Amino acid sequence: MLAAGTENGNAVEFFLDRHLREGRAARLAFADPWRTLTYGALAEASSRFAAALSAGGIGRERRVGLLLLDTIDFPAAFWGAIRAGVVPVPINTLLTPEQIGYILADCRAEALVVSAPLLPALGPVLGLLPDLRRIIVAAPDGSAPDLGGDARAIGWSAFLADGPASLAPVFAAADEVAFWLYSSGSTGAPKGAKHVHSSLRATADTYARQVLGIMPDDVMFSAAKLFFAYGLGNGMTFPMSVGAQAVLLPDRPTPDAVLATMRRHRPSIFGGVPTLYAALLAHPGLGSGAGSDRLRRCISAGEALPETVGRRWSETVGVDILDGIGSTELLHIFISNRPGEVRYGTSGRAVPGYELKIIDENGAEAADGQEGELIVRGCSSADGYWNQRAKSRHTFRGEWTYTGDTYLRDTEGFYHYRGRSDDMIKVSGIWVSPFEVEAALISHPSVLEAAVIGYADADGLIKPKAFVVLKEESPIDPATLRELLKEHVKERIGPWKYPRWIELVESLPKTATGKIQRFKLRAEARE
Ligand code: 3UK
């Protein structure tokens, strides 16, 4: 026997090649502001990309980093890599060059596909990556990009030029690792969660089909980017699971950009994070259908959707928001509200295919109404973190995945989010570690000590708040200093991570061993 089974478990079979075999090659798969891609054209681009990777000596199971804005090149590169058995690693384009360099080094990427506007800032870190052999530069509009000075760089079209229009996917086991997604932790560096081929199909069969009820005629628009697990499902694998269409927005999803996209493409399903829903509600242009006369479903994840935001959206737009919780480790949403049964202020109920438990500190199941840690058994959990045994063992225990989230279940089976068991903060749906913000603050010459907590703004959305002890009387007035510190954090670690409020204090509450007691600051801040 040559292979370990008869059926090819390679996910590109189900999500892409199946549509060609069943006569859907001419259907529209993706539209970005400049270009469109049918299922047939996507199969062709991904075949050429797969062949070019192999011809370039990028072997099976090796990693290719994808640092791409949301354009039609993303699915072409993602599925091309999977077709070749090469492991795509989508990377958050909002990270700093150092953080991106860390991920490329950690996964030992041998190739990188990068959107041309993101290349110049990467210059200094690319020189530090000996494993990186090819840098494929893609201009968002498909034009010939500026390659910069790196000898490893080649344009997207040139890279694809010699490949065949059709290439069969490599044979892969359904249990074989297909792609990785990095997630940041409370301490230290991001961890690469390794996902297998069958998990993509599992999330499509559970959440997308049974909760969203996605249909071939749907048009999906995910404001959350494809490099997030949330966006990867919403904006790529879910529509592809039924031969539907996705709309891609490469720009920052500001309310203006999102509403313009809604009007232009008239999506029937829209996915965003709570901060975006709140920002859209504050926009004077928001009205029925949020600009799309076809809108029938809205979904939210990444952080808890405040009840008031959900209610106001339903009133103004006329479509409910389905809040659901997912994670990078479980790939997509495993608890969700259902159409027609929305209970704002809760994450909803278990998604079919996932089993949930809330456990107390002794590991015993908590009674309804009692808080505990949420653990999940399901068909889409990751195969572990790359090169992180202790963290893998802690999170993936047998069939159960430990979320680190505190939840309670009410007697009707609805799950209520009660916060994190670590100090991590979700800001606009993206992780922020308080330690990272504190370190950035302390790196400023005026700051002696800092402590950061999550604090709810007027919409009920959590943002970082900092308590700062200064080194000595600063000659700068407090208001100016606060603004300087905010700018300092933005520049060092990323624009969404800065503390929206800074309180200058004399000292911080600490344990006998000198650990900052963030829970005390949280309690004080609530009063
Ligand atoms: C928090 C929520 C309350 C929660 C994600 C949908 O967010 C995603 O993945 P991440 O790995 O973060 C996971 C953590 O985020 N969270 C997410 N959604 C909610 N908290 N209510 C929610 N609705 O702490 C969770 O453990 O970045 C979301 C699909 C795929 C995803 N990866």
Side-chain angles (χ1 to χ4, degrees):
M1 200 163 84
L2 285 173
T6 48
E7 203 180 315
N8 191 352
N10 192 319
V12 76
E13 273 286 340
F14 174 78
F15 284 94
L16 182 49
D17 292 6
R18 174 176 60 101
H19 297 305
L20 273 64
R21 279 199 303 276
E22 295 174 4
R24 288 184 287 276
R27 277 181 75 88
L28 192 57
F30 292 93
D32 69 23
W34 302 279
R35 296 174 288 165
T36 59
L37 212 50
T38 61
Y39 279 91
L42 176 56
E44 183 173 334
S46 67
S47 293
R48 292 189 197 280
F49 186 78
L53 285 176
S54 307
I58 316 289
R60 271 193 82 159
E61 297 166 36
R62 298 299 169 142
R63 274 72 61 193
V64 50
L66 306 186
L67 187 68
L68 287 171
L69 303 171
D70 281 15
T71 69
I72 61 167
D73 297 333
F74 187 111
F78 185 91
W79 293 111
I82 295 220
R83 186 180 292 284
V86 173
V87 175
V89 182
I91 301 171
N92 182 342
T93 59
L94 304 168
L95 297 177
T96 64
E98 289 70 31
Q99 291 162 335
I100 292 166
Y102 174 87
I103 291 174
L104 291 171
D106 186 65
C107 72
R108 303 189 191 117
E110 293 186 7
L112 169 68
V113 190
V114 56
S115 286
L118 306 175
L119 180 63
L122 279 187
V125 300
L126 292 178
L128 305 172
L129 299 165
D131 294 312
L132 191 64
R133 291 196 274 140
R134 259 294 182 220
I135 300 167
I136 303 132
V137 187
D141 63 358
S143 63
D146 183 349
L147 299 179
D150 199 305
R152 299 166 292 181
I154 181 172
W156 170 265
S157 303
F159 186 67
L160 267 65
D162 299 331
S166 168
L167 183 74
V170 299
F171 191 94
D175 279 346
E176 192 167 329
V177 170
F179 63 102
W180 300 1
L181 291 169
Y182 274 80
S183 170
S184 31
S186 58
T187 48
K191 318 175 282 287
K194 302 176 288 175
H195 279 288
V196 301
H197 284 271
S198 59
S199 288
L200 288 170
R201 173 125 183 223
T203 56
D205 284 344
T206 56
Y207 175 74
R209 192 166 61 79
Q210 300 181 58
V211 174
L212 271 184
I214 189 165
M215 305 289 271
D217 288 332
D218 273 313
V219 176
M220 291 275 306
F221 171 34
S222 174
K225 300 300 179 194
L226 295 171
F227 58 72
F228 294 122
Y230 180 46
L232 190 79
N234 298 343
M236 191 175 80
T237 55
F238 294 172
M240 289 182 72
S241 71
V242 292
Q245 190 208 323
V247 174
L248 301 176
L249 170 67
D251 304 328
R252 260 186 60 216
T254 59
D256 279 330
V258 167
L259 288 177
T261 307
M262 297 291 286
R263 283 191 287 266
R264 175 168 172 203
H265 290 281
R266 302 164 49 234
S268 55
I269 308 181
F270 173 72
V273 295
T275 313
L276 175 60
Y277 284 109
L280 284 164
L281 280 166
H283 193 285
L286 186 75
S288 169
S292 168
D293 56 355
R294 291 194 290 206
L295 190 69
R296 67 181 188 93
R297 293 238 191 299
C298 294
I299 64 176
S300 174
E303 59 182 313
L305 179 76
E307 189 174 345
T308 50
V309 173
R311 287 194 194 291
R312 281 160 52 213
W313 183 270
S314 293
E315 281 163 26
T316 312
V317 173
V319 179
D320 289 341
I321 303 177
L322 308 179
D323 184 13
I325 174 177
S327 74
T328 305
E329 287 74 8
L330 281 150
L331 191 54
H332 216 275
I333 291 172
F334 48 86
I335 303 181
S336 182
N337 282 281
R338 311 277 179 86
E341 301 170 55
V342 168
R343 192 155 314 168
Y344 284 130
T346 80
S347 305
R349 290 180 294 170
V351 170
Y354 295 89
E355 198 183 327
L356 310 170
K357 268 191 208 172
I358 294 173
I359 54 167
D360 64 23
E361 53 278 14
N362 303 317
E365 217 168 325
D368 283 351
Q370 239 145 33
E371 288 183 3
E373 182 178 0
L374 176 71
I375 67 173
V376 186
R377 175 155 70 181
C379 40
S380 57
S381 70
D383 197 37
Y385 300 120
W386 168 249
N387 287 358
Q388 298 266 9
R389 189 165 65 158
K391 286 183 175 143
S392 297
R393 284 183 171 177
H394 179 81
T395 301
F396 306 102
R397 299 187 214 171
E399 294 180 297
W400 294 88
T401 303
Y402 284 61
T403 63
D405 292 308
T406 304
Y407 262 90
L408 71 76
R409 184 180 55 214
D410 65 24
T411 48
E412 288 163 87
F414 283 84
Y415 285 78
H416 300 243
Y417 180 69
R418 285 288 184 267
R420 293 285 305 170
S421 50
D422 54 25
D423 286 317
M424 291 294 280
I425 312 167
K426 261 306 182 72
V427 182
S428 308
I430 317 177
W431 283 127
V432 174
S433 157
F435 309 107
E436 193 188 7
V437 184
E438 288 161 10
L441 283 164
I442 292 163
S443 73
H444 189 279
S446 302
V447 175
L448 179 67
E449 285 188 309
V452 169
I453 60 167
Y455 186 74
D457 72 7
D459 283 319
L461 295 162
I462 306 297
K463 309 287 176 210
K465 170 172 180 164
F467 298 83
V468 168
V469 183
L470 295 177
K471 276 188 183 149
E472 56 210 30
E473 270 310 294
S474 168
I476 311 169
D477 77 277
T480 313
L481 187 60
R482 284 197 197 95
E483 292 315 306
L484 285 175
L485 291 176
K486 290 179 185 175
E487 281 311 308
H488 181 76
V489 175
K490 277 192 200 174
E491 276 163 28
R492 285 191 77 95
I493 55 173
W496 72 96
K497 296 179 180 170
Y498 78 98
R500 310 306 196 266
W501 310 271
I502 296 181
E503 233 175 85
L504 302 176
V505 293
E506 292 292 315
S507 63
L508 299 172
K510 291 208 187 120
T511 63
T513 54
K515 273 198 180 144
I516 297 171
Q517 294 168 305
R518 291 189 193 75
F519 70 92
K520 282 200 177 155
L521 292 169
R522 278 195 289 265
E524 278 169 30
R526 269 198 297 272
E527 281 164 8

